[in-house]
Amino acid sequence: MAQMDPAATKSASAMTDYSDYGLGSSPSQSASPSRSESAAPASVGAAFSPSAAKLIGALRIAADRTATAIAHGTKQTRLEVRERLTEVICWVIGSLQTREGTSKVPPVIAREYVSTLKLNFLTELATTSDLDANEVVSTLIKLDEAEEAWKRTDRGKFIARLTGADCADAVVAIAHDIRSPLGSILLLVDSLRRSERVSPNPVRERQLGLIYGAAFGLSTTVSNLIAAARGDGLVQGNPAPFSVSEMMHSVSDIVQPMCEEKGIPLGMEFADHDARVGYGSAIQQALLNLTSNALRYTDAGSVAMGCSEVAGDRVEFWVEDTGPGIPDDVLERLCYGFPPEGVKLRFSSAGLGLAIVRTLVEAMGSSLQVDSGAEGTRFSFILSLPILR
């Protein structure tokens, strides 16, 4: 328990009233005491101004209501919740005293307790007159400090790192820790599947395929998290020479187990000029996301990936599938990660896959086009890639 004003903390059980501050009344009273009972303390010490006394009364009413509400939704008793709230209130009261003695460190209790207390307190203030603005502001600041006190705990520090300014670095670090064992699983399963071809066992082969597909899906999600945290890092620096066919074959090799598992062939078409100058890794990541998604949502027919020459140095990369089309209302949300709850998107519930494709394509100076209908879906983007001569 955090330190508080010695005058305010004789014992945890004694905190259920404010007798040390001349406030009388106990939380064992009714859940919603009348204003005549609680708006102003029965006797206020010389240390408190009339405005401060009203603020303390409002805090007491807010604590009663908060304790009742929280106890109703949890397994805790109202008295237990009220005792925790009293720790905060006693600490806040110290800031209203004319004498010194309030602790600089607020007590640590659940954030939602203080949030609800503050909301109920503000409700009380709305009908309380003749308040000193400075004392009101001081009280609200102290409640804000108490609301953030959870960040001092180990759990709080961890959550603060995940949600603070360096959250991107934290996400990348966690994703890397996950991706390493997933990579090992993929390599091991692929090796086992190859050995199965010597003495085939259909049941075992299917089980290995399912393991590979699940691990590949997790690995893709982790890679997308890293890419989302790093932004368009794959499209930095100067464009470099690369082979379009080698890049596309790399994508094909990665998704081939998915093709075999679902029995869906992956067709490929190549441009006449293979050696180009551009951001090969970014294009590969975009095509990998598009192709793996197409395979995931196509149960019959085929999936194709290609590169077609448009004019001059301009080429179009595309991925087509014969899976179910995408409704127009979903298409509008497809390019934004973490869509509203309940929106069913291809590219996982988080919607990261396509959001990253869109980010990469736009960073390379193009835009992602989507054509979807009853016969399937086609994703495409056009890039200017100089021919390497």
Side-chain angles (χ1 to χ4, degrees), residues 158-220:
F158 177 72
I159 293 176
R161 188 185 177 205
L162 290 180
T163 58
D166 61 345
C167 62
D169 293 336
V171 169
V172 170
I174 295 171
H176 273 299
D177 287 345
I178 298 174
R179 186 165 65 174
S180 294
L182 283 175
S184 298
I185 293 173
L186 288 171
L187 289 173
L188 178 59
V189 173
D190 188 54
S191 176
L192 290 173
R193 295 186 75 189
R194 293 178 187 277
S195 64
E196 279 291 308
R197 293 168 185 169
V198 178
S199 54
N201 183 317
V203 174
R204 191 161 54 200
E205 171 65 16
R206 174 167 174 74
Q207 291 172 340
L208 289 173
L210 292 173
I211 295 172
Y212 186 95
F216 176 74
L218 288 172
S219 182
T220 300

Side-chain angles (χ1 to χ4, degrees), residues 94-154:
S95 68
L96 299 176
Q97 291 180 274
T98 55
R99 66 182 187 274
E100 296 182 0
T102 184
S103 170
K104 294 182 179 180
V105 180
V108 178
I109 72 172
R111 185 178 188 178
E112 56 269 24
Y113 285 20
V114 187
S115 298
T116 307
L117 173 66
K118 185 168 65 174
L119 180 61
N120 287 327
F121 176 62
L122 289 171
T123 301
E124 280 301 307
L125 292 188
T127 57
T128 304
S129 59
D130 300 325
L131 295 174
D132 182 280
N134 290 332
E135 290 177 340
V136 172
V137 171
S138 175
T139 303
L140 291 175
I141 289 175
K142 288 298 178 182
L143 287 175
D144 284 341
E145 292 179 16
E147 191 176 12
E148 298 299 312
W150 65 277
K151 291 183 179 180
R152 300 201 316 271
T153 65
D154 290 339

Side-chain angles (χ1 to χ4, degrees), residues 239-313:
F242 73 101
S243 167
V244 173
S245 60
E246 288 182 6
M247 179 270 296
M248 292 176 60
H249 278 299
S250 295
V251 173
S252 175
D253 290 342
I254 294 173
V255 301
Q256 191 59 39
M258 295 179 65
C259 296
E260 296 175 359
E261 172 62 26
K262 302 195 73 171
I264 296 175
L266 175 63
M268 290 197 293
E269 294 184 17
F270 305 97
D272 294 336
H273 297 88
D274 183 52
R276 301 273 178 168
V277 178
Y279 297 97
S281 296
I283 299 172
Q284 177 175 324
Q285 180 67 50
L287 290 177
L288 177 59
N289 278 10
L290 293 172
T291 305
S292 59
N293 175 78
L295 287 166
R296 188 175 296 117
Y297 287 92
T298 301
D299 295 324
S302 63
V303 172
M305 168 180 58
C307 176
S308 306
E309 296 190 4
V310 178
D313 294 339

Side-chain angles (χ1 to χ4, degrees), residues 51-84:
S51 172
K54 292 183 179 181
L55 289 175
I56 294 170
L59 280 170
R60 186 176 63 189
I61 295 175
D64 284 337
R65 291 176 176 169
T66 301
T68 300
I70 292 177
H72 181 72
T74 66
K75 295 181 179 180
Q76 299 182 82
T77 67
R78 180 177 175 276
L79 184 59
E80 290 173 336
V81 178
R82 179 59 185 270
E83 286 179 348
R84 298 310 313 276

